[in-house]
Amino acid sequence: MRYEDAGVNLDAAEETTRRIKEALAPARHPGVIAGVGAFAGAFDAARLAGLERPVLLASTDGVGTKTLVAARVGRWRGLGADLVNHGIDDLLAAGGWPLFFLDYLAADRLEPAVAFEVVAGLAEAAAAADLAVLGGETAEMPGVYREGALDLAGTIVGYAERARLPDPARVRPGDVLVALPSSGLHTNGYSLARRALAELDWEAPREDLEGRSVADALLEPHRSYLPEWRRLERAELLPKTAAHVTGGGVYGNLPRALPAGLGARLQRGRWPEPPIFDLIRRSGGVEAREMFRAFNMGLGMLLVYDPDAAVAALEVLEEGHHVGAVVQGEGVFVEGVDG
């Protein structure tokens, strides 16, 4: 008996590793001491030397069932960018700046061409963020994953000056909520979206999607807010706290940026909602409140400022919207949804 008889193709695994190294070549980073192929990645931490009290931050996440959207239409490249940008935005909301990244790609059967497309997208996003890719893991696990399925996850490590970490205790009633718009679903809510849209033609252009197809709208890459964060840092206008709106939607994530006893009131209509959300609502018969529980609804990142700083931040940002305020009480109230 050979390993291949049990469903694992070692030749495909070796070819996948070779293609991954090829895909990562454009993202070479001077901080990498040991990368793909080593038993552990090694990164030069000299960037931390200038900090008074350096803090390391780390976050792990995946792209969920967006992989099944990619599989349905055979378009894989954007998933790698989704993974990197999701991790970057998590770090930013926590007060950190990106250092390096590792990924995990698993399937019932490894397809070297698919792995290349995923990692090529990852490399492009990492290079754009000056983020080192130290390597990762590929795994072929027949019996764990269903045929044709792919799982993708990643870990990002970043750094911060301890004194500049966000502190929810600084948030006060009357503080302003500034939104950075999302590009679409980003990496969350795809199980509901796929079910709601299952019977539609995913490849045909649609007027209600501004001429785009369902597949185009669903696969729109997760937006990285690193350029906006750098702009805010240069202007010394980083927010008091921030919420990256991911799994759990608006209702689940905004309270994470607020202290106990305070909530938020959002004024719907003050920010653009990508049309894919209305299509999901109509096609699936999804109630408005459920939409805000499952999706970001166009609110990719929510930043908390005192009123004067909010005005200054909105002048600095190319895209930013004053969408609400911090209020007494707990939870999130969306006008037009919650009454």
Side-chain angles (χ1 to χ4, degrees):
M1 183 177 289
R2 301 169 63 236
Y3 210 173
E4 191 167 351
D5 298 327
V8 177
N9 188 330
L10 293 177
D11 291 335
E14 291 176 1
E15 175 63 9
T16 297
T17 300
R18 187 191 70 78
R19 296 294 298 273
I20 285 174
K21 289 180 179 179
E22 178 185 343
L24 288 175
R28 288 192 180 94
H29 191 284
V32 176
I33 298 170
V36 177
F39 286 102
F43 184 81
D44 186 345
R47 195 176 301 183
L48 306 181
L51 303 182
E52 292 184 11
R53 297 187 67 188
V55 175
L56 290 176
L57 301 94
S59 178
T60 297
D61 219 312
V63 299
T65 59
K66 194 170 186 176
T67 58
L68 295 179
V69 177
R72 175 166 167 168
V73 297
R75 290 159 55 180
W76 300 98
R77 199 177 189 94
L79 295 181
D82 291 323
L83 190 64
V84 168
N85 292 344
H86 186 139
I88 288 172
D89 292 343
D90 276 349
L91 270 188
L92 297 176
W97 299 93
L99 278 176
F100 59 81
F101 190 87
L102 299 103
D103 69 285
Y104 172 80
L105 188 157
D108 74 308
R109 184 167 59 90
L110 289 173
E111 296 283 356
V114 170
F116 176 85
E117 285 296 304
V118 171
V119 177
L122 185 155
E124 290 167 1
D130 190 29
L131 174 68
V133 180
L134 291 193
E137 170 70 355
T138 57
E140 192 170 64
M141 295 191 289
V144 173
Y145 297 102
R146 74 185 192 190
E147 184 177 352
L150 179 150
D151 191 18
L152 185 64
T155 296
I156 191 167
V157 173
Y159 69 97
E161 182 70 75
R162 183 163 183 173
R164 302 193 71 176
L165 291 176
D167 182 7
R170 297 171 54 213
V171 177
R172 297 286 183 270
D175 280 350
V176 170
L177 297 171
V178 170
L180 301 178
S182 73
S183 55
L185 276 67
H186 283 183
T187 50
N188 297 99
Y190 280 88
S191 295
L192 176 56
R194 288 187 302 107
R195 183 166 183 174
L197 304 174
E199 302 305 316
L200 301 183
D201 182 343
W202 282 20
E203 298 287 7
R206 298 179 61 97
E207 289 187 11
D208 54 4
L209 294 179
E210 300 173 343
R212 307 179 75 203
S213 69
V214 170
D216 290 337
L218 290 178
L219 291 174
E220 183 68 33
H222 191 124
R223 180 174 176 175
S224 167
Y225 297 105
L226 186 58
E228 287 80 4
W229 230 255
R230 286 173 171 159
R231 196 174 293 118
L232 291 170
E233 185 196 35
R234 287 194 295 269
E236 297 185 354
L237 285 169
L238 290 174
K240 291 182 177 182
T241 61
H244 181 204
V245 184
T246 56
V250 177
Y251 290 123
N253 286 281
L254 181 50
R256 299 165 68 182
L258 306 174
L262 294 184
R265 189 179 188 94
L266 297 172
Q267 295 175 281
R268 195 175 187 186
R270 285 197 153 197
W271 70 89
E273 294 180 16
I276 185 64
F277 293 118
D278 189 55
L279 180 60
I280 292 169
R281 181 192 61 79
R282 290 185 285 108
S283 298
V286 186
E287 293 183 352
R289 183 171 176 81
E290 187 69 10
M291 293 292 295
F292 276 82
R293 289 183 65 215
F295 303 110
N296 64 59
M297 296 302 291
L299 302 169
M301 188 87 84
L302 287 161
L303 319 181
V304 180
Y305 287 100
D306 65 47
D308 290 340
V311 172
L314 287 167
E315 291 177 352
V316 168
L317 293 167
E318 291 184 358
E319 290 184 89
H321 306 277
H322 177 179
V323 298
V326 176
V327 297
Q328 291 283 0
E330 296 191 346
V332 176
F333 181 92
V334 182
E335 295 182 9
V337 175
D338 298 307

